């Protein structure tokens, strides 16, 4: 048996909190977000006692208007992650990778 296993999506609130935190900081910064998509994954650590999630990873794609500074959007995504109260409350690490796409 593997030391990790794919798990169902028990992290819906984490996804929602990250998205709402990002949309809030982006709006305050005057960034026009055209679309926000995410994909979440996690692994069940079968070697831990008790068994638990090892990490939650959120892969986020943010679509913004052409000419928007991608570095600023990345900084806002990092700020949103630091401000996400659900991720901050979990005992499992939450990692966020953000890709910025201009339309």
């Amino acid at each position: 048996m593997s030391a990790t296993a794919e798990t169902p999506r028990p992290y819906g609130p984490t996804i929602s909190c990250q998205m709402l935190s990002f949309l809030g900081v982006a709006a305050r910064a005057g960034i026009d977000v055209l679309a926000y998509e995410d994909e979440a994954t996690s692994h069940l650590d079968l070697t831990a006692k008790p068994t638990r999630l090892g990490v939650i990873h959120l892969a986020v794609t943010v679509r913004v208007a052409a000419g928007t500074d991608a570095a600023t959007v990345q900084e806002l995504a990092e700020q949103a992650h630091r401000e996400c109260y659900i991720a901050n409350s979990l005992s499992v690490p939450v990692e966020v990778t953000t890709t910025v796409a201009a339309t």
Side-chain angles (χ1 to χ4, degrees):
M1 178 178 269
S2 171
T4 62
E6 293 296 321
T7 56
R9 294 179 57 110
Y11 32 74
T14 307
I15 294 169
S16 296
C17 183
Q18 179 66 34
M19 179 185 69
L20 292 172
S21 295
F22 175 76
L23 293 176
V25 297
R28 288 188 295 276
I31 300 294
D32 186 16
V33 177
L34 304 177
Y36 181 101
E37 301 170 8
D38 56 46
E39 180 65 33
T41 57
S42 67
H43 289 321
L44 188 60
D45 184 351
L46 300 174
T47 62
K49 300 294 181 207
T51 302
R52 62 180 155 263
L53 292 177
V55 66
I56 296 172
H57 181 78
L58 304 178
V60 176
T61 301
V62 177
R63 298 195 190 290
V64 294
T68 302
D69 182 46
T72 299
V73 177
Q74 287 285 352
E75 290 171 13
L76 293 172
E78 291 170 14
Q79 177 185 347
H81 181 53
R82 287 190 305 272
E83 294 179 5
C84 176
Y85 69 92
I86 291 177
N88 290 334
S89 300
L90 297 175
S91 61
V92 59
V94 178
E95 299 172 348
V96 179
T97 302
T98 303
T99 301
V100 180
T103 302

